[in-house]
Amino acid sequence: MDSLITAAARALAAGDPLGALNRVALRNDAPALALRGIAMAQLGNLERARDLVRRAARAFGPNEAVARARCIVAEAEIAFVSRDLGWPAKALDAARETLEQHGDRVNAAHARHLEARRLLLVGRLDEAERLLAGIDPAPLPPASRAAHALMVAGIAIRRLRTTAARAALAGAALAARDAGIPALAAEVESAARVLDTPAARLLARGAERPLLLEEVEALLASDALVVDACRYAVRSALTVIPLARRPVLFALARMLGQAWPADVSRDALVAHAFGARQADESHRARLRVEIGRLRRALRALAGISATKRGFALVPRRAREVAVLARPVEDEHAAVLAFLTDGEAWSSSALAVALGASQRTAQRALDSLAAAGKVQSYGRGRARRWMTPPVPGFTTTLLLPAPLPGG
């Protein structure tokens, strides 16, 4: 490898894409194309980066399997940053195997990190955790150790293990400092701020207050009866009753939980659960049926007593009842949560991340755009959606794209 290529690679590893481009900008050989592609990715020109990396992969000869595999890993990273969640994971897996077979453990680990981050992004925590367990971060360079620790922290945060998350973030901060890359240090600081940002709201006895993530963890570990409007469940300690697929029952449970220890009138329950402006006899009959279903669903945790004007929640063992709500409630809050990472998303990528159809994602985006909460650019398949961060909203996307590996 000639001196300019070596110098450009070192500049990229230090987070200096402009320095790398100064050395290889006028060259079109395969190594220079690959380095230019990674530099353009670091600078945010993802379309140009993807084109350069693909040209580099084609330019490498048949005996340069490792170089081609590195290009595939780089293209996978660009796809991830572009939120192209449909990029073929099998190609990344094959590239990782090639790198492992040829002893390139650093870039093989980077390939694993990329796949783990994709899994983390779409909420497949168990798979991401298993993938990370196959990586020993100790021998990796500082930037890779920081990326590994960030993913460990991301999983811990999503599992409400704040002590483990803080420990992982502290390790990430040390590794980022050793790497000497300002952008990486900023990424770690941004992830750490999540733990000091309200993650939910507590609604109890007519009052409301924001909760940090560790306070949410403590609440869910307590013996309080919690109506969880973040995950659409009713829970107390280790007993969890999911109601995500029974929206009417959950709506009734939430109203009863917010009013506890008082009752809720029948007219108010009908209006909230069924959307009826005026309750007639058919609505009241339906309410009796749904209350009966809710009684059966919650029988392990609470009863529901009829009062003169409506119904009241009666916990069996818990001394307190609370509603745990999202910090920002919107009909399409899940879509907003993904968009607040600052990246540009396609409707198809959002559909994958949400586990919904593309049509559902597009309807949500259109509704948010009409309300002025999101904006788009491009047309057709190139159309992308984004929004500025929502103040006080803890995003579900805790980990921006890592710096490209060497």
Side-chain angles (χ1 to χ4, degrees), residues 8 12 16-26 35-37 39-40 43:
L12 285 176
D16 181 17
L18 293 177
L21 286 175
N22 284 337
R23 293 169 173 85
V24 296
L26 300 179
L35 292 172
R36 284 167 57 195
M40 296 306 292
L43 291 170

Side-chain angles (χ1 to χ4, degrees), residues 246 249 252 285-299 304 311:
R246 306 179 78 176
L249 297 193
L252 293 171
R286 184 184 175 192
L287 178 63
R288 288 193 294 272
V289 171
E290 298 295 351
I291 287 291
R293 289 171 177 166
L294 185 60
R295 279 197 184 103
R296 290 191 293 274
L298 300 185
R299 60 184 177 274
I304 300 175
F311 296 93

Side-chain angles (χ1 to χ4, degrees), residues 19 71 101 179 197 203 273 290 299 400:
C71 288
Q101 290 167 4
T197 301
L203 311 176
E290 298 295 351
R299 60 184 177 274

